[in-house]
Amino acid sequence: MGEPLMTPNQASAGELLQLIRSGRANTRADLQSATGLSRSTVGQRLDLLNRAGWLRHTTNTSTGGRPSHRIDFDPAHASVIAVDLETRHARLAVLDLAGTILAEHTGPLRITDGPDQVLNQLAAGFPDLIAAAGVDATHICGIGLSVPGPVDFETGRVVEPPSMPGWDQYPIRERLQTAYADHVGPSMDDGPVPVFVDNDANLMALAEHQANHPDCSAFVLVKVSTGIGAGVVVGNQVYRGIDGGAGDIGHIRLHDRPDALCMCGSHGCLAAVASGRALAKELSRLGVETTSGSDVRRLLAEGHPDAIRLARDAGRRAGEVLVTVVTLLNPGVLMLAGDLSGVPFMTGVRELLYQRAMPRTTANLQIVTSRLGDHAGLIGAAAMVVEFLYSAARADARLNRLAP
């Protein structure tokens, strides 16, 4: 029997839940070994989790010996609403706690209409979405919202977002809670529905890391769509910086483009040169009708020569910035995602990285594209909710409220 992972008599029900969810301990004997708790105390902790409906038990029969009883987190006992808000449209979904999409909807929505109108419009779509998922509205445990701007995660407010006029410091969490109550009703725990907000690149990085690269200790995702941003996962945790500004690489300035005006008001930002918006503007100048990163994505899929050339050039400009990012963070995986993340853009990135970065920096670096695609933001938003609500401390607090 190995040494306990926790100090005896201090492992709470919430901490046992973490062991179960992570797969480190999925039998009573494993839980005793990992925590140093007695069999009876483990039983008491499991009773709390069972009464909450958070666990499922299975029995594996064998040809010899005693059958084994496995304990797992039950991802079907509640559901999450996830929203991936873009500048011109929004994706909405209901997911179970394992990140499986049960129902989804994508529709036009202009972020420039302002937070009050946009959030109410989102909430108005929740009842039909919940019905399509076939879940009970009272089993919705939280909402995760992905937005295209820097977020102070503690307050859930965006901070000086260039592409979200009128949203700076707006109380998104509180407004969405009110809109949810108006359109859907009470939450699972009868109080305001928990709402969590984060930057889109952060949540895409969280989803892609958990789904496809869980063993990578340093992971970077770069989203290149209307703007450019990066999400960083270090030691299985999203790195946000002190106030949510980490990863805002689209506003790193290039030395030779003082003519390029960015939405942030500065000149020479990477986003003003290499984003989907920048390429759409350049293609329009060349006589190709293009209004957004989505249009550029369509042209790339069609093999349009000017779009391909510009995307490769944009990849090279992004590569100039990513040389520093890769040298600083030394990631095992650099993932490209978003409208421009295809072969031409990746080719440009690779050229610059391998040309300018030290060989030691890129020797063990994988440069890949998104595997979750347009679902990454939704899955990441749901994962954010689950990670918080079922953390040890929050789980214990919820269990205390459920106690008779």
Side-chain angles (χ1 to χ4, degrees):
M1 182 179 294
E3 290 295 319
L5 299 177
M6 301 175 182
T7 303
N9 301 321
Q10 291 188 355
S12 67
E15 288 167 326
L16 262 63
L17 182 64
Q18 302 316 301
L19 293 172
I20 294 167
R21 287 185 60 220
S22 68
R24 288 181 290 168
N26 294 99
T27 68
R28 288 177 181 255
D30 289 343
L31 290 168
Q32 287 179 250
S33 176
T35 62
L37 296 175
S38 68
R39 181 178 178 82
S40 62
T41 303
V42 167
Q44 291 168 2
R45 303 281 197 270
L46 291 176
D47 285 344
L48 290 173
L49 296 169
N50 283 321
R51 284 201 296 270
W54 295 355
L55 301 180
R56 64 184 180 190
H57 300 260
T58 56
T59 300
N60 296 324
T61 57
S62 61
T63 55
R66 298 176 61 184
S68 61
H69 299 276
R70 182 177 174 86
I71 306 167
D72 289 297
F73 181 64
D74 183 1
H77 80 264
S79 302
V80 175
I81 291 177
V83 179
D84 184 7
L85 184 59
E86 300 277 3
T87 55
R88 294 169 178 264
H89 68 273
R91 298 183 183 88
L92 293 75
V94 174
L95 302 90
D96 69 14
L97 303 185
T100 301
I101 295 175
L102 306 177
E104 64 178 305
H105 171 74
T106 300
L109 185 150
R110 302 186 72 88
I111 206 166
T112 53
D113 287 340
D116 198 62
Q117 179 175 330
V118 167
L119 295 175
N120 188 68
Q121 185 177 338
L122 290 173
F126 290 165
D128 287 344
L129 190 69
I130 293 170
V135 301
D136 191 325
T138 61
H139 288 179
I140 300 295
C141 67
I143 300 172
L145 176 61
S146 165
V147 297
V151 176
D152 183 333
F153 187 72
E154 294 300 318
T155 65
R157 300 187 180 196
V158 292
V159 182
E160 300 179 7
S163 62
M164 301 175 69
W167 290 73
D168 183 34
Q169 297 294 340
Y170 184 87
I172 295 174
R173 180 182 297 160
E174 295 79 4
R175 179 66 184 92
L176 193 52
Q177 286 174 331
T178 299
Y180 180 90
D182 291 343
H183 290 282
V184 179
S187 72
M188 186 175 185
D189 293 333
D190 293 328
V193 62
V195 174
F196 304 90
V197 187
D198 202 359
N199 169 260
D200 52 3
N202 285 346
L203 295 179
M204 293 170 71
L206 175 64
E208 294 279 5
H209 179 266
Q210 288 186 351
N212 300 305
H213 301 278
D215 297 326
C216 181
S217 60
F219 175 91
V220 176
L221 178 142
V222 178
K223 180 185 179 184
V224 190
S225 290
T226 299
I228 300 177
V232 179
V233 179
V234 176
N236 296 317
Q237 299 291 324
V238 175
Y239 178 74
R240 298 183 173 91
I242 60 171
D243 61 5
D248 204 5
I249 64 171
H251 299 287
I252 294 176
R253 298 185 191 179
L254 303 174
H255 72 282
D256 60 346
R257 289 300 307 273
D259 60 307
L261 176 62
C262 183
M263 287 190 70
C264 72
S266 298
H267 290 79
C269 293
L270 176 64
V273 175
S275 67
R277 177 185 283 113
L279 267 63
K281 181 177 179 181
E282 183 63 18
L283 284 164
S284 295
R285 189 185 67 80
L286 294 173
V288 183
E289 186 175 348
T290 319
T291 60
S292 66
S294 297
D295 289 339
V296 178
R297 181 180 186 172
R298 173 180 53 77
L299 290 170
L300 288 170
E302 293 171 355
H304 192 285
D306 285 329
I308 291 173
R309 174 179 56 82
L310 290 172
R312 182 165 178 166
D313 289 345
R316 291 179 60 84
R317 300 316 303 258
E320 295 177 30
V321 170
L322 291 174
V323 168
T324 302
V325 172
V326 167
T327 302
L328 176 66
L329 296 177
N330 189 209
V333 175
L334 172 63
M335 177 175 284
L336 305 178
D339 291 330
L340 303 190
S341 62
V343 172
F345 188 88
M346 174 180 275
T347 299
V349 169
R350 283 178 176 273
E351 287 178 6
L352 257 290
L353 278 179
Y354 291 120
Q355 175 186 332
R356 297 191 182 179
M358 293 290 288
R360 169 70 181 82
T361 304
T362 57
N364 297 302
L365 176 67
Q366 299 179 57
I367 304 175
V368 301
T369 56
S370 169
R371 293 177 63 181
L372 297 177
D374 290 340
H375 288 146
L378 293 172
I379 294 171
M384 168 178 60
V385 175
V386 175
E387 290 299 307
F388 187 84
L389 290 183
Y390 294 91
S391 66
R394 188 62 180 261
D396 285 329
R398 295 174 66 200
L399 289 170
N400 286 336
R401 289 199 300 270
L402 293 172

